[in-house]
Amino acid sequence: MEKFVQKVSFKLLQLGYKSIQFLFYLNIFIVFFIISRGISYAKDSIKSSAQLSYNLTETKAGGKKESSQQVIQRYNLGLIKSITPKLTFFSDLSVFVKEENDEKSTFVSPNLRLNVNNEYFDGSTGYRLTEKEIEIFGIKPNKDRYTNEFWNMKLTTKIKKYPKLKLNYSEAKSYDHLDEHQTNNKRKEFSLDLDYGWSFLNFNYGYRKDIVNNYVTESKQMTDTNKGGIAFHKTFKNKQITTSGSYVFTHTKIKTTTQGEDVSVEEMQRSYGGLYEKDTTPDTGSLNTYSSLVDGNKVTSTGIDIGGGSAGTYQNIGLDLNSPIEIEQIRVYVSSSSSFDAGSFNWSVYYSNDNLNWTLIINTADFTYDPDKNMFEISFTKTKARYFKVVDINNDIIPGIYVTEIEAYSKTVYPAFSTTIEETLSQKIQFSLGYKLTDWCRLHYSFLQNQKQTKPDGKRNSSQSHFFTARVKKDINKHLLSWAEYRRSWKIETDIPDIVTDTYLVHFRFIPIKQLASDLSLKYSELKEDYKLNSRTTTVLLKTQANIREGIDLNVSGKVTHLDKMENESVTDTQFIDSTLWVKLTRTLTSEFTYNRQWTITRSSTSKTKGDTSSTMITLYWRPSGEFNLRATYGINRDELKGTQTTQQKYSLNWFISKKVQTNMNYSIDKGDSLRYKYSFNLSWNLSRTFSLSCSYDWTRIEAEEVAEIQSLNTVLSARF
Amino acid sequence: MWLVRKKIILFMWTICVLNCTGCLEFPVQNFQANRGGVVFMYISCQPKLNLDVSFEISALSFMNSRGEWIKISLNKVVDSKQLRNKQFKLAEISLPPGRYHKLKLEVKRAKKTRKNKTYSLALANPSGEYELSFDLDILPQSSNVFFLDWYPEASVVHKYLFKPKFNICNSSNGLKNLLLYVTCSASNSVLVINRQEDKVVDVIGVGNAPKGIVANPDGRKVYVANFDSKDISVLDPTLNKVITTISNFDYSPLDLALSKDGRWLYATNPEANCISVIDLGANVFCQSIHVGNDPGAIAYDPLRQKLYVLNRGDNSISVVDASSFQLETTIMVGLKPMDLNIFEDKLYITSPDTNNIFVVDLTSYTVEKIIYGLAQPTGIIGGLFGNMYLSLEATNEVAFWDPGMGITLRNISVGSSPEKLALDSSRRKLYVLNRNSEDISVIDLNQETVKTSIQIGKDPYDLVILN
């Protein structure tokens, strides 16, 4: 107890000292502000703001306790001076100081700008200096000093009857102050854009030149980009026929000149499919398609747990690059509810050209783990192949380390003392034609084309998409409306089989009375790859919305899908039901009950898998007055087949105590493999017209194999003049 | 180090000297007016009345601390029939800075209606002038609001005399999770609306020409892009005031997006064909990323950690990796794309010029479907029960739209030129910003009708809800 009191007293003293420091520097700004304001012209504007924030975070996990303290000071002083009605001068100074435990970080950034605005053009020129990690207010930062300088000039014309012209020129310098620079580069950019609309046509042209000089690697890169296009939009026959289209070309030329060092640039390679199998003999065996591994979603779990000791090892996680491509790095993204030891992992890397026979590249690859991006970066010798996979042969004993995404990277190396020229020419065409035959019948056709050619490798890539839609609408009677539609989409892309999709849709909407509406949709689609039938899908969807009586609303939807996949001779049947009942119990109390359930059966020639999941949620919302409201939610997610379930409870209270003070409290409990409690409290106080104070407290407790507790206190004092 | 200190000291002295040179006078009337404060006046009355009263105001006058009256012509009719359960914007005016103690209404004529019969009322004061006492402190370039609670029945004396009875209230703040914020570019203000009552409760003065607005996921801060003043105002929604301003911008910010952790703010810069990245830890501009021609709307995808930017000039979307700040790819869509929304793992883009909606698959970044035949769709937002809501500029309607079928289920008439939308899923309400009629239509999603409309400031641009 004594130690605790001493610790708290010490921390309060530290905070008190920081506050005194903050007030001292704030006073300097206030005095400066008052002097300037006192003799300034009434039309000028001077603004100033200052913020002091204090954050204390304590984490207890595995018997260890860590605490971290952060104090941030922010100051800003700005001036707007109208030299003439059309000429304005802006200036701004920002100062930032951060102290986190023993780490100190600062920056200072003055900014000057001159603006010209008249009826013919808007123009401006300006200079910005950013000094990072310099000594200020007696605080010496831990990191090395770094400087950014930026100067720019821009002009935009405003006369409507002439083409609109935009001109931009900028120069930027970034460098450190070390004896041997690690960063020292300069960038110049010039761009010109012309836009002109005439009748139903619109023309545009843009030119951009970028020159980047890297004085550390002694390399220079010059990029010239020419971009232009024409677009149109026209209607005929009293808007019965609408057409629109555009053509855009882009030509980019990149010239890279190196001196004494090789320069390498990394590039992500596009994945055409994810692959997965749990296989303790990874040398042979096909991996199954697993599309969620390459859907771009780095947050949601794919369900692949690579943790948990031996139970989680030999997860074969891979990707299909569609054709042999040389790569040298694979990145695996994860999500985990608790921290884990990335160093416990060992990764093997394999390649294949047939997704059956795998060749080992390396048994234990070099890798790093980035906790900010939740990403394993696994590196290996440059290898060219179509399929790659990584296998975790060792891991952390903590379960629940779920893979979210996998990516493949290659590096382009520009050798020393060389000049490389790369050119890219791309052309994009888009065209759309709509024809309203009658009030109840419409036709539509769209065409999209992308062509890309690169030099010197001579790669050509072309993709075309055609969309055709025919739709009819019929009001059968005043209660029953119907639509029927036929859609065809046809996609052609280099090195990928042509994909043709035919979809037939029929939709009925039945509104017998104002309070009841039902929608029935029937959809049948066929997908063909290279003109061979690949899959057939039939979907029936029924939705009903009923206003049972005032204050009671019911929404129910049911969906049945039957999917036939020819390539692996599998059939998947899915049934889904979703219902929501919303009830206004009293004038101040409403409730919502939601239930949804999904059944899935997948049958193939070799296996049969089933899935049955449900989710139930009840929400109560009580708002007795405009100053107080309370929301409580209880939810259950069940896997009906496995018999497992997770529950969540959330409570949120908002209370407007007075004009100066309001609080917000949130409390949640998650019950699953781990028990999670979360509580947060927020208080804001308007001290005066100039000063305001806000405080927040957050507490999280996770009970899994270990108990972890995190609490954080944050206080912010703001001043604005 | 000394060189840097020198630069900073020189900079601060430059500011001081330039202030001193402000002794030079430039006679510019318009400029003077712009430096005053904007004042919004709203009037409302109680919902249940036995008698309806209307009166015509020809002018308003404000008396300052020196006893001078500043007169503003108005010519508006106030009718209690229209005011029931609704707020009416009486005036939006600019006043010179100072303290004001009295408000004078000049009434031309008044009428009462009872049981469908209308009678003229005599004015209690033959000059038609009625004074009210109040306190209003106007700072330069500030935004202010006050509310008149009018008692129509008590305003009729002896059955034939009109003597208006008002109660004047100042702005109030409420629970922040009940608030809706709207940027009004020509008013240089952000209006604060209480969603429980659907009424304006406060006005916050921000920079010049506020456009895009976005709120932190935890509801503790709101960011406003000020296009003309090239800065971003940071609002505290508990206090309804600007707590700091992020300047240091080389180009004007238009639309905003926020990363999921609240660490990074992204702003489109149409003048420079780029987006600016702002580090909210330090409140400073970090870097810019070149995108297509004339970028407008922007959206952040928290699952894929990508930014989608609509390029109105070259009819495309730029996909930017938000972790590496690199431009990944560009997707061709329809003419002058206007708005975008991520809904159920797909990206929906409206193209009002072609009456189309483009549906982009976010795994392959290709256009999967084009829905044709909508009446100039401008705004789009994901809604309840798998539906989406579209604002249709050609017909001044909001459509309830099934994205799976591409079918409009229902159309509801709203104000003129509907654009952006905001959904309050707890209260089952949809807020539609109508640019031309300068109001917000509030749609009750249970009844599928327009519940009320809220009059706001000039040239409204964007809105955001705090949940």
Side-chain angles (χ1 to χ4, degrees):
Chain A
M1 182 66 182
E2 213 177 284
K3 271 190 185 168
F4 174 75
V5 168
Q6 273 177 357
K7 195 176 170 187
V8 168
S9 311
F10 179 68
K11 287 206 165 47
L12 283 172
L13 271 170
Q14 272 190 320
L15 177 62
Y17 171 69
K18 291 291 168 211
S19 308
I20 292 167
Q21 216 181 23
F22 168 76
L23 287 170
F24 173 69
Y25 293 118
L26 179 62
N27 277 335
I28 293 176
F29 269 72
I30 291 170
V31 166
F32 182 79
F33 172 80
I34 290 169
I35 292 170
S36 304
R37 199 76 191 84
I39 52 175
S40 73
Y41 182 37
K43 288 186 229 165
D44 299 334
S45 166
I46 297 180
K47 288 177 191 171
S48 177
S49 67
Q51 238 180 25
L52 171 70
S53 66
Y54 173 75
N55 176 274
L56 173 66
T57 304
E58 268 191 11
T59 309
K60 286 181 207 166
K64 289 184 218 167
K65 192 170 159 184
E66 281 173 17
S67 85
S68 116
Q69 238 189 146
Q70 191 187 83
V71 178
I72 295 177
Q73 300 175 59
R74 291 190 195 96
Y75 304 95
N76 181 269
L77 180 67
L79 162 76
I80 302 171
K81 180 155 184 73
S82 310
I83 300 170
T84 72
K86 297 181 183 187
L87 186 65
T88 316
F89 172 75
F90 293 85
S91 65
D92 179 89
L93 175 68
S94 293
V95 176
F96 170 83
V97 177
K98 178 170 145 184
E99 292 167 274
E100 185 168 2
N101 298 330
D102 296 324
E103 280 199 27
K104 290 167 192 173
S105 175
T106 63
F107 85 70
V108 176
S109 182
N111 182 26
L112 302 169
R113 180 153 302 280
L114 193 66
N115 274 12
V116 178
N117 302 98
N118 58 37
E119 58 266 40
Y120 304 110
F121 64 87
D122 286 332
S124 81
T125 182
Y127 172 76
R128 175 167 34 85
L129 169 72
T130 306
E131 287 281 359
K132 291 184 185 175
E133 321 300 351
I134 65 158
E135 187 182 334
I136 191 158
F137 300 158
I139 292 166
K140 285 184 189 169
N142 305 93
K143 294 181 190 165
D144 298 319
R145 188 174 151 203
Y146 188 84
T147 304
N148 273 324
E149 289 185 69
F150 179 83
W151 172 70
N152 84 317
M153 192 203 77
K154 72 170 181 69
L155 185 91
T156 308
T157 60
K158 277 152 77 164
I159 311 169
K160 284 194 176 157
K161 60 180 182 178
Y162 297 116
K164 184 175 177 181
L165 172 70
K166 274 195 268 193
L167 281 170
N168 271 294
Y169 177 77
S170 67
E171 282 189 21
K173 273 199 276 190
S174 304
Y175 51 92
D176 56 37
H177 295 257
L178 301 171
D179 293 332
E180 262 196 54
H181 288 291
Q182 287 180 11
T183 308
N184 186 3
N185 55 56
K186 184 174 178 178
R187 182 179 203 134
K188 285 186 196 175
E189 280 181 20
F190 168 74
S191 70
L192 177 149
D193 288 279
L194 275 169
D195 251 294
Y196 181 60
W198 176 74
S199 182
F200 59 89
L201 295 168
N202 187 272
F203 303 92
N204 62 74
Y205 171 74
Y207 171 72
R208 199 168 112 220
K209 189 173 189 85
D210 255 302
I211 303 174
V212 180
N213 276 299
N214 188 326
Y215 299 110
V216 173
T217 59
E218 292 179 316
S219 65
K220 181 176 176 178
Q221 191 172 74
M222 272 197 334
T223 309
D224 279 284
T225 308
N226 280 281
K227 190 171 172 182
I230 178 170
F232 75 93
H233 170 59
K234 185 99 177 110
T235 60
F236 304 93
K237 284 178 101 178
N238 201 24
K239 292 188 183 178
Q240 220 176 325
I241 300 173
T242 53
T243 61
S244 66
S246 63
Y247 167 76
V248 175
F249 78 87
T250 312
H251 177 247
T252 309
K253 188 171 166 183
I254 307 174
K255 183 176 169 185
T256 310
T257 310
T258 56
Q259 297 295 327
E261 267 185 47
D262 292 352
V263 173
S264 92
V265 174
E266 67 181 26
E267 188 188 340
M268 186 175 107
Q269 297 300 327
R270 181 180 165 188
S271 310
Y272 290 79
L275 303 166
Y276 170 73
E277 191 60 65
K278 187 166 162 62
D279 187 348
T280 53
T281 54
D283 298 332
T284 56
S286 288
L287 305 192
N288 287 318
T289 309
Y290 211 95
S291 55
S292 54
L293 280 168
V294 293
D295 62 0
N297 184 340
K298 291 173 189 158
V299 172
T300 309
S301 160
T302 56
I304 301 169
D305 187 351
I306 56 170
S310 58
T313 50
Y314 288 97
Q315 308 286 352
N316 289 230
I317 305 159
L319 36 70
D320 174 6
L321 300 174
N322 198 58
S323 62
I325 290 178
E326 199 171 66
I327 66 166
E328 55 196 276
Q329 193 183 83
I330 285 179
R331 293 182 186 176
V332 176
Y333 296 82
V334 297
S335 71
S336 175
S337 58
S338 50
S339 57
F340 63 92
D341 179 17
S344 313
F345 278 79
N346 276 332
W347 293 98
S348 297
V349 188
Y350 293 77
Y351 75 89
S352 168
N353 281 308
D354 59 3
N355 187 21
L356 182 60
N357 300 294
W358 294 88
T359 307
L360 179 69
I361 301 173
I362 182 160
N363 198 37
T364 49
D366 286 332
F367 72 92
T368 55
Y369 180 72
D370 185 336
D372 292 330
K373 293 182 183 173
N374 296 324
M375 175 187 77
F376 285 95
E377 218 172 75
I378 304 160
S379 303
F380 45 89
T381 324
K382 217 181 285 196
T383 308
K384 188 172 180 174
R386 176 175 168 176
Y387 302 97
F388 287 86
K389 70 179 181 185
V390 291
V391 184
D392 67 327
I393 53 176
N394 269 327
N395 61 24
D396 192 337
I397 53 166
I398 292 178
I401 305 169
Y402 294 103
V403 172
T404 58
E405 191 77 358
I406 184 169
E407 289 173 345
Y409 281 80
S410 63
K411 278 188 191 161
T412 306
V413 177
Y414 300 96
F417 300 107
S418 68
T419 299
T420 316
I421 297 178
E422 291 161 301
E423 276 184 65
T424 309
L425 174 67
S426 80
Q427 295 180 85
K428 295 182 185 183
I429 300 172
Q430 183 260 322
F431 173 72
S432 176
L433 170 70
Y435 185 27
K436 190 176 162 188
L437 271 168
T438 62
D439 276 339
W440 49 268
C441 180
R442 287 173 203 249
L443 303 171
H444 180 245
Y445 169 74
S446 278
F447 168 70
L448 293 165
Q449 178 170 288
N450 276 327
Q451 275 183 337
K452 191 172 165 183
Q453 199 179 330
T454 50
K455 285 181 189 175
D457 57 13
K459 263 193 204 169
R460 272 175 187 250
N461 194 284
S462 169
S463 71
Q464 262 186 32
S465 300
H466 302 261
F467 301 93
F468 173 74
T469 309
R471 172 181 286 196
V472 293
K473 180 183 170 183
K474 176 82 178 154
D475 293 353
I476 298 170
N477 58 46
K478 68 174 182 176
H479 300 294
L480 184 62
L481 317 167
S482 66
W483 294 260
E485 188 174 281
Y486 166 70
R487 276 189 223 145
R488 170 168 264 225
S489 74
W490 183 17
K491 292 184 187 179
I492 305 162
E493 194 174 338
T494 315
D495 297 331
I496 289 174
D498 291 358
I499 297 175
V500 176
T501 310
D502 286 300
T503 308
Y504 304 85
L505 291 142
V506 175
H507 184 96
F508 298 96
R509 188 158 161 89
F510 180 52
I511 313 171
I513 52 174
K514 195 183 159 194
Q515 294 84 1
L516 178 68
S518 276
D519 290 278
L520 174 67
S521 302
L522 305 158
K523 184 165 128 181
Y524 172 75
S525 66
E526 285 183 352
L527 191 144
K528 292 174 188 142
E529 272 187 30
D530 260 347
Y531 309 100
K532 284 183 214 160
L533 188 61
N534 181 280
S535 67
R536 274 195 292 245
T537 313
T538 310
T539 308
V540 177
L541 171 66
L542 176 66
K543 270 191 201 179
T544 300
Q545 266 173 270
N547 177 227
I548 297 171
R549 52 174 292 178
E550 197 185 328
I552 304 179
D553 286 301
L554 175 67
N555 279 274
V556 181
S557 66
K559 186 168 156 184
V560 175
T561 309
H562 177 85
L563 168 65
D564 262 304
K565 267 191 165 172
M566 273 69 198
E567 61 169 351
N568 57 3
E569 291 172 358
S570 70
V571 170
T572 305
D573 285 302
T574 313
Q575 289 124 45
F576 177 76
I577 183 163
D578 184 17
S579 58
T580 306
L581 177 67
W582 184 87
V583 180
K584 191 173 176 180
L585 296 164
T586 67
R587 197 178 54 84
T588 58
L589 180 66
T590 57
S591 70
E592 190 171 291
F593 173 79
T594 308
Y595 174 74
N596 61 58
R597 190 154 177 181
Q598 178 162 299
W599 299 266
T600 319
I601 302 173
T602 304
R603 286 180 228 101
S604 69
S605 53
T606 53
S607 64
K608 182 176 173 180
T609 51
K610 279 187 184 179
D612 185 354
T613 55
S614 71
S615 159
T616 311
M617 192 178 294
I618 301 170
T619 304
L620 282 171
Y621 182 46
W622 183 47
R623 48 196 191 288
S625 70
E627 284 85 37
F628 181 86
N629 59 57
L630 175 67
R631 193 184 175 91
T633 305
Y634 181 79
I636 306 171
N637 290 324
R638 273 186 68 84
D639 186 325
E640 303 287 347
L641 287 180
K642 291 179 188 170
T644 55
Q645 75 178 35
T646 57
T647 60
Q648 311 95 37
Q649 293 178 54
K650 276 184 195 171
Y651 305 93
S652 171
L653 185 146
N654 297 284
W655 184 17
F656 183 82
I657 298 172
S658 73
K659 209 170 172 181
K660 291 185 189 279
V661 182
Q662 58 176 283
T663 74
N664 160 256
M665 287 183 262
N666 291 291
Y667 181 67
S668 69
I669 307 171
D670 282 327
K671 249 190 198 167
D673 294 333
S674 61
L675 199 63
R676 180 189 284 258
Y677 302 93
K678 197 171 175 181
Y679 170 79
S680 64
F681 173 86
N682 175 248
L683 193 101
S684 291
W685 193 7
N686 203 5
L687 298 168
S688 70
R689 184 184 277 163
T690 309
F691 290 92
S692 58
L693 176 72
S694 80
C695 299
S696 61
Y697 174 75
D698 296 285
W699 174 78
T700 307
R701 183 183 167 90
I702 303 166
E703 290 174 6
E705 285 192 14
E706 284 180 347
V707 172
E709 209 172 281
I710 306 162
Q711 44 184 346
S712 165
L713 172 71
N714 195 48
T715 310
V716 180
L717 174 67
S718 306
R720 193 166 168 265
F721 312 95
Chain B
M1 171 89 81
W2 169 235
L3 198 61
V4 171
R5 279 194 193 150
K6 229 167 84 169
K7 282 179 186 171
I8 293 167
I9 293 166
L10 181 66
F11 170 82
M12 291 178 85
W13 274 108
T14 308
I15 296 177
C16 211
V17 165
L18 281 168
N19 276 326
C20 296
T21 63
C23 302
L24 297 168
E25 287 276 347
F26 289 99
V28 180
Q29 284 299 322
N30 288 338
F31 215 63
Q32 277 278 21
N34 283 345
R35 293 298 177 187
V38 174
V39 180
F40 288 78
M41 280 176 67
Y42 283 90
I43 186 168
S44 59
C45 68
Q46 68 253 55
K48 286 181 183 164
L49 294 167
N50 294 320
L51 177 72
D52 278 313
V53 182
S54 68
F55 63 96
E56 194 179 325
I57 303 180
S58 58
L60 289 170
S61 301
F62 294 83
M63 190 184 87
N64 60 21
S65 50
R66 293 189 293 274
E68 298 161 342
W69 287 96
I70 296 168
K71 187 172 172 176
I72 316 260
S73 294
L74 198 55
N75 293 320
K76 268 204 176 145
V77 175
V78 177
D79 191 341
S80 62
K81 250 186 282 184
Q82 292 167 349
L83 291 182
R84 293 187 199 191
N85 276 327
K86 196 178 161 177
Q87 218 181 28
F88 177 65
K89 190 175 83 170
L90 195 57
E92 183 187 332
I93 50 184
S94 196
L95 286 175
R99 206 161 222 157
Y100 295 84
H101 300 292
K102 279 190 182 165
L103 166 69
K104 183 163 66 183
L105 285 86
E106 288 176 32
V107 177
K108 252 203 273 193
R109 56 186 75 91
K111 287 184 235 179
K112 74 174 182 184
T113 306
R114 195 190 190 103
K115 292 178 184 174
N116 294 323
K117 284 188 181 168
T118 305
Y119 308 92
S120 289
L121 294 167
L123 302 175
N125 187 341
S127 63
E129 292 177 354
Y130 300 94
E131 283 183 18
L132 302 158
S133 296
F134 80 132
D135 267 311
L136 183 64
D137 203 359
I138 295 181
L139 299 173
Q141 291 178 281
S142 64
S143 294
N144 311 271
V145 65
F146 65 90
F147 304 93
L148 294 172
D149 283 338
W150 177 39
Y151 301 95
E153 286 173 334
S155 302
V156 177
V157 179
H158 304 309
K159 293 187 183 179
Y160 72 96
L161 273 180
F162 179 71
K163 190 177 177 187
K165 189 170 160 72
F166 296 102
N167 184 31
I168 298 185
C169 307
N170 288 331
S171 63
S172 61
N173 51 341
L175 271 174
K176 64 181 181 185
N177 74 338
L178 293 180
L179 301 178
L180 166 77
Y181 292 83
V182 186
T183 52
C184 299
S185 298
S187 310
N188 294 338
S189 306
V190 169
L191 265 68
V192 186
I193 292 168
N194 182 310
R195 298 192 325 266
Q196 188 137 307
E197 297 162 25
D198 289 324
K199 285 183 176 171
V200 173
V201 292
D202 205 351
V203 166
I204 310 170
V206 290
N208 292 350
K211 297 281 187 187
I213 186 167
V214 75
N216 230 340
D218 60 13
R220 289 180 186 169
K221 288 198 184 129
V222 175
Y223 300 93
V224 180
N226 301 307
F227 192 81
D228 283 358
S229 48
K230 292 184 176 49
D231 54 32
I232 289 178
S233 299
V234 183
L235 313 181
D236 182 335
T238 311
L239 307 169
N240 281 338
K241 68 190 249 186
V242 177
I243 51 169
T244 192
T245 305
I246 307 171
S247 24
N248 277 357
F249 287 116
D250 310 306
Y251 308 113
S252 299
L254 181 64
D255 270 302
L256 299 175
L258 203 53
S259 63
K260 189 183 173 189
D261 57 5
R263 167 82 195 271
W264 304 99
L265 182 67
Y266 309 96
T268 52
N269 306 127
E271 296 170 327
N273 299 339
C274 66
I275 57 174
S276 296
V277 182
I278 297 119
D279 179 351
L280 293 175
N283 279 356
V284 70
F285 164 83
C286 231
Q287 69 174 86
S288 59
I289 308 164
H290 282 284
V291 291
N293 191 8
D294 198 17
I298 182 171
Y300 177 78
D301 184 348
L303 293 180
R304 292 166 192 79
Q305 286 153 28
K306 303 268 190 258
L307 286 162
Y308 308 114
V309 184
L310 289 188
N311 304 309
R312 301 170 297 189
D314 53 23
N315 314 319
S316 64
I317 310 169
S318 295
V319 180
V320 175
D321 183 345
S323 43
S324 63
F325 303 138
Q326 299 288 326
L327 175 65
E328 267 195 15
T329 188
T330 306
I331 310 164
M332 198 76 169
V333 291
L335 225 57
K336 291 198 172 55
M338 180 135 179
D339 197 12
L340 74 173
N341 191 258
I342 304 165
F343 185 65
E344 291 180 356
D345 270 352
K346 299 214 190 293
L347 183 65
Y348 293 82
I349 298 115
T350 58
S351 170
D353 280 18
T354 57
N355 295 334
N356 287 345
I357 289 180
F358 288 76
V359 184
V360 172
D361 174 43
L362 291 174
T363 311
S364 59
Y365 294 129
T366 54
V367 175
E368 184 183 88
K369 220 163 40 175
I370 300 176
I371 315 291
Y372 163 71
L374 296 144
Q376 278 183 279
T378 46
I380 184 166
I381 194 170
L384 305 174
F385 316 121
N387 289 336
M388 295 188 87
Y389 309 114
L390 303 172
S391 37
L392 305 175
E393 194 172 11
T395 52
N396 295 331
E397 289 173 326
V398 160
F400 285 43
W401 190 67
D402 180 333
M405 283 292 297
I407 282 172
T408 299
L409 301 171
R410 194 188 167 87
N411 282 16
I412 298 175
S413 291
V414 289
S416 175
S417 293
E419 289 186 357
K420 305 266 174 119
L421 303 146
L423 175 69
D424 182 351
S425 46
S426 317
R427 282 169 197 74
R428 304 284 185 95
K429 287 189 210 170
L430 181 69
Y431 293 86
V432 185
L433 190 141
N434 304 307
R435 184 173 38 86
N436 274 1
S437 51
E438 294 177 345
D439 59 16
I440 290 180
S441 299
V442 184
I443 296 177
D444 181 331
L445 293 172
N446 289 333
Q447 305 293 322
E448 292 185 352
T449 53
V450 173
K451 193 180 155 202
T452 186
S453 72
I454 308 166
Q455 292 177 325
I456 50 179
K458 294 177 189 160
D459 194 18
Y461 186 84
D462 199 1
L463 70 177
V464 74
I465 275 180
L466 287 190
N467 273 313

